[in-house]
Amino acid sequence: MTTRRTFLAQAGLIAAGAVIAPKLVSAKASNKVGLQLYSLRDQLPKDVKGVIAQVAKAGYNEVETFGFNKETGYWGLKGKEFSQLLKDNGLTTPSGHYGLDEYLGSGKTDDLNAYIEVANTIGQSHIIIPALNHNFIKTVDDCKGVAEKMNKIAEILKKSGLKLGYHNHNFEWAPVGDTTFYDVVLNNTDPKLVAMEMDLYWVVRAGQNPVEIFEKHPGRFSFVHVKDRDKTNAELNTEIGNGNIDFKTILGKAKLAGIKHFIVEQENYTNIDPYVSIAKSASYLKNTLHV
């Protein structure tokens, strides 16, 4: 199965409802629960229209995109076609992951206009950095330089009615001098221009406490990736509520954090159909966590 890092490198880019086997039935609608489409990266290239329909049937009404290519769009669909596909299935998209590694390393913004155009075409409000080349943040000065480039990109996006976002993994908490890259980003980017998308799984896996971060930086986290950790293998995901991450406590601080979008993401599946998995996750978010 393709890993996030491998996919991003290869592409040049750096879950809801009751389950009635074998079919999924739509759950009560929510304006908050979304799915990061990377969760279905193996299925999308084969049948993008069918997959999007299944996402809606699983109880979602938002999706977060990934994998945009300015030549082929989203799995062969141009921006307007993909936007219509989402609308036909009652879905909206507040955000997308777009490859910005080149810009954070060199400062060049050659392809940014294409990202801005498609984000506006499909109705997104945020362009989110999905990952970062570790070679860019070896020193504190490196980290500050990347944060400044984030501010500059965010200023460009602002002119088009968009905001920048940053999605974390766990390397952001590796020590860099007397600080960490994550702290540098939070302390050196403009809160009015740069939103944070906290991936709760990776924060916990890094040994950090999401609530403590929310308390230190209230209102910065417009998005969260809700992704559970398998009880027996910390390197694996599982359906929300089946793992050992305390989402009740963490998401109990959603207002403090500033969370507006709860986005399910699952990077791997163990002995379960992906569509059943994403439906179970979204159902737990809505019916147990009441987001």
Side-chain angles (χ1 to χ4, degrees):
M1 182 178 287
T2 304
T3 64
R4 174 185 291 275
R5 192 162 296 160
T6 299
F7 176 87
L8 292 170
Q10 291 175 341
L13 306 170
I14 158 129
V19 179
I20 302 178
K23 295 182 180 180
L24 301 175
V25 179
S26 296
K28 180 181 177 182
S30 167
N31 289 323
K32 298 179 180 179
V33 177
L35 180 74
Q36 165 51 254
L37 292 178
Y38 185 79
S39 305
L40 299 171
R41 62 198 175 277
D42 292 332
Q43 293 78 18
L44 279 160
K46 303 171 186 176
D47 182 13
V48 58
K49 293 182 179 181
V51 172
I52 295 301
Q54 287 280 22
V55 171
K57 288 180 181 178
Y60 293 89
N61 58 8
E62 288 188 342
V63 296
E64 181 173 74
T65 63
F66 83 103
F68 171 75
N69 181 291
K70 67 179 183 179
E71 303 298 331
T72 60
Y74 290 105
W75 305 285
L77 298 181
K78 298 298 185 180
K80 289 183 179 180
E81 296 172 313
F82 187 71
S83 180
Q84 189 61 51
L85 175 62
L86 295 181
K87 290 176 183 177
D88 289 346
N89 286 279
L91 297 167
T92 59
T93 175
S95 55
H97 283 193
Y98 295 91
L100 289 165
D101 249 22
E102 178 185 351
Y103 314 137
L104 297 178
S106 67
K108 295 181 179 179
T109 56
D110 297 346
D111 293 335
L112 191 57
N113 285 337
Y115 298 159
I116 291 171
E117 180 180 1
V118 76
N120 278 323
T121 296
I122 65 178
Q124 293 175 335
S125 60
H126 288 70
I127 284 179
I128 295 180
I129 300 166
L132 185 71
N133 187 325
H134 301 192
N135 291 325
F136 297 162
I137 52 171
K138 291 182 176 180
T139 69
V140 175
D141 285 342
D142 288 344
C143 295
K144 290 181 177 179
V146 168
E148 183 55 34
K149 288 171 184 173
M150 287 185 187
N151 283 327
K152 290 180 179 179
I153 292 173
E155 288 283 3
I156 295 171
L157 297 182
K158 181 181 178 181
K159 296 175 183 177
S160 296
L162 297 166
K163 290 188 70 173
L164 185 69
Y166 182 79
H167 166 270
N168 66 275
H169 289 80
N170 59 345
F171 68 84
E172 287 87 351
W173 286 273
V176 182
D178 59 354
T179 187
T180 69
F181 175 64
Y182 205 71
D183 284 330
V184 171
V185 170
L186 283 167
N187 293 324
N188 291 273
T189 55
D190 187 341
K192 296 180 181 179
L193 299 176
V194 181
M196 304 301 286
E197 179 174 66
M198 181 184 282
D199 189 309
L200 299 173
Y201 165 84
W202 285 111
V203 174
V204 172
R205 185 166 165 180
Q208 303 299 310
N209 185 328
V211 172
E212 290 180 0
I213 300 173
F214 294 160
E215 290 173 342
K216 191 174 181 179
H217 301 277
R220 286 300 303 269
F221 305 89
S222 299
F223 300 81
V224 284
H225 270 192
V226 189
K227 181 190 308 178
D228 215 342
R229 181 175 62 176
D230 187 87
K231 291 178 180 178
T232 59
N233 186 342
E235 295 186 1
L236 296 179
N237 301 152
T238 188
E239 292 68 52
I240 312 304
N242 283 358
N244 56 17
I245 294 181
D246 184 4
F247 290 114
K248 291 183 179 180
T249 296
I250 296 169
L251 298 184
K253 297 293 184 179
K255 186 175 181 180
L256 171 70
I259 301 168
K260 297 179 177 64
H261 302 275
F262 301 80
I263 300 175
V264 170
E265 181 185 42
Q266 188 150 338
E267 295 191 40
N268 43 71
Y269 303 91
T270 303
N271 300 320
I272 188 171
D273 180 275
Y275 296 116
V276 174
S277 176
I278 64 171
K280 286 185 174 182
S281 288
S283 180
Y284 188 86
L285 273 172
K286 293 178 179 181
N287 301 320
T288 301
L289 298 178
H290 304 292
V291 300

